[in-house]
Amino acid sequence: TAQLWTEWLWYDALGYLEVLRTEWVTRGLLFLAAFLVMGGAVYASLTVAYRTRPVYAPSTPEQASLDQYREMIEPLRRLVMIAAPAVLGFFAGIAAAAQWRTVLLVLNAEEFDVADPQFGVDLSFYVFTLPAVRFVVSFLMAVAIISGITAVATQYLYGGLRFGSGPGDRTTRAARLQLGITAAVVMLLIGANYWLDRYSILTRAGGGNVAAGASYTDVHAVLPSKIILAVVAVLVAVLFVVAALRGTWRLPAVGVGLMVVSAIVIGGIYPAFVQRFQVQPNAREAEAEFIQRNI
């Protein structure tokens, strides 16, 4: 409190109290928005998983061992379904409030009237818009993953999801729909992340590049690989929706495996091959255009 009051007095004495007020209001709104999104998503995930639980859990040794946990948590269930989303929402709000500068920058963005040489996008996009969009995508991905984890835990506890052996389906239709749609949302956000990586390549510094920004290998190998991986992620998301409706996880499992292999081969091995056999033998000529861009 002493710290906050001192800042208030100092900014007020300089005549810039509006600056401090703008920061605090932005922090507060970001905290509230993130709290509601994270807390609401987790609460909805828990509620859907609980309400769609099977009336009678399958009679298996696995479920018999879970009976004691169900009995133990039942008196606290309502408290847990409120407290867990609130706690997760609180930490999400703290993390989002720290991004107040990013949000204020994009809300007060100005055009630079200079386009980048690769995509023809105004440079203000990289300074103002791209960091904010990446923040939103990363936050939504965290929300989707945490909601998925709570759904898996709840469905498993109440018998909608089984990992052990035994007769019958491993998942109920309701659990399959909830988990399949959540997984599809995660894959779509991963695809969006790959797509945004294309722009982030143009602003990165360090590494093995001759100059900051995109090199020959980045433009001719890494950028195409990001597009392919983004498309694969969208296709895997579609497979998860199909699996949720049809009841088989084989197709999305194959899709995820294909995505992992693609990330290794297309995203790692192929750029290294281009760098070693196309760039290094004639680096001065290959990198000339991209060094000039940097200059």
Side-chain angles (χ1 to χ4, degrees):
T1 303
Q3 174 76 18
L4 295 177
W5 182 239
T6 302
E7 286 194 358
W8 181 277
L9 293 175
W10 188 77
Y11 275 90
D12 187 33
L14 295 177
Y16 285 99
L17 190 57
E18 185 62 27
V19 174
L20 187 64
R21 187 183 292 114
T22 300
E23 176 190 340
W24 286 1
V25 170
T26 306
R27 282 178 178 269
L29 292 176
L30 283 173
F31 177 89
L32 181 61
F35 178 87
L36 292 176
V37 171
M38 177 66 81
V42 172
Y43 179 79
S45 180
L46 289 171
T47 302
V48 170
Y50 179 76
R51 291 183 178 178
T52 59
R53 71 194 187 282
V55 178
Y56 300 104
S59 180
T60 63
E62 180 187 16
Q63 291 301 315
S65 65
L66 288 173
D67 284 339
Q68 57 182 326
Y69 295 104
R70 284 192 283 264
E71 294 174 1
M72 180 176 63
I73 202 173
E74 187 59 30
L76 302 172
R77 178 179 56 80
R78 291 186 178 179
L79 176 62
V80 170
M81 292 185 69
I82 295 175
V87 171
L88 291 170
F90 175 80
F91 286 110
I94 293 294
Q99 298 295 323
W100 64 273
R101 291 183 179 87
T102 302
V103 173
L104 285 177
L105 280 173
V106 73
L107 291 177
N108 296 276
E110 295 285 348
E111 294 288 326
F112 289 178
D113 295 327
V114 178
D116 82 77
Q118 183 62 38
F119 298 110
V121 178
D122 191 271
L123 296 185
S124 61
F125 170 79
Y126 299 92
V127 177
F128 304 121
T129 308
L130 183 58
V133 175
R134 299 220 68 148
F135 158 63
V136 171
V137 171
S138 299
F139 177 77
L140 293 178
M141 189 182 302
V143 171
I145 291 174
I146 292 175
S147 299
I149 292 172
T150 57
V152 168
T154 307
Q155 291 286 3
Y156 176 70
L157 180 64
Y158 287 98
L161 175 65
R162 293 190 295 122
F163 295 112
S165 59
D169 294 333
R170 304 282 181 177
T171 59
T172 62
R173 175 176 173 78
R176 193 167 59 246
L177 283 171
Q178 183 180 12
L179 299 180
I181 292 173
T182 303
V185 171
V186 172
M187 295 309 302
L188 288 175
L189 291 169
I190 290 175
N193 223 14
Y194 277 128
W195 189 261
L196 294 174
D197 282 344
R198 298 162 57 249
Y199 299 102
S200 297
I201 288 173
L202 271 62
T203 62
R204 69 183 183 184
N209 292 354
V210 176
S215 64
Y216 178 95
T217 301
D218 291 330
V219 172
H220 293 88
V222 177
L223 287 181
S225 72
K226 297 296 183 182
I227 297 175
I228 294 172
L229 291 172
V231 172
V232 171
V234 173
L235 293 177
V236 175
V238 173
L239 292 178
F240 270 112
V241 175
V242 172
L245 297 175
R246 294 185 56 186
T248 173
W249 296 105
R250 185 172 302 146
L251 286 177
V254 172
V256 171
L258 174 63
M259 187 173 176
V260 172
V261 172
S262 300
I264 295 172
V265 176
I266 302 176
I269 296 177
Y270 176 62
F273 181 88
V274 171
Q275 178 68 25
R276 174 66 181 84
F277 294 102
Q278 287 189 245
V279 177
Q280 289 185 5
N282 193 15
R284 179 176 297 179
E285 181 177 343
E287 299 287 10
E289 176 186 356
F290 306 100
I291 294 173
Q292 186 60 44
R293 287 182 180 183
N294 176 268
I295 294 173

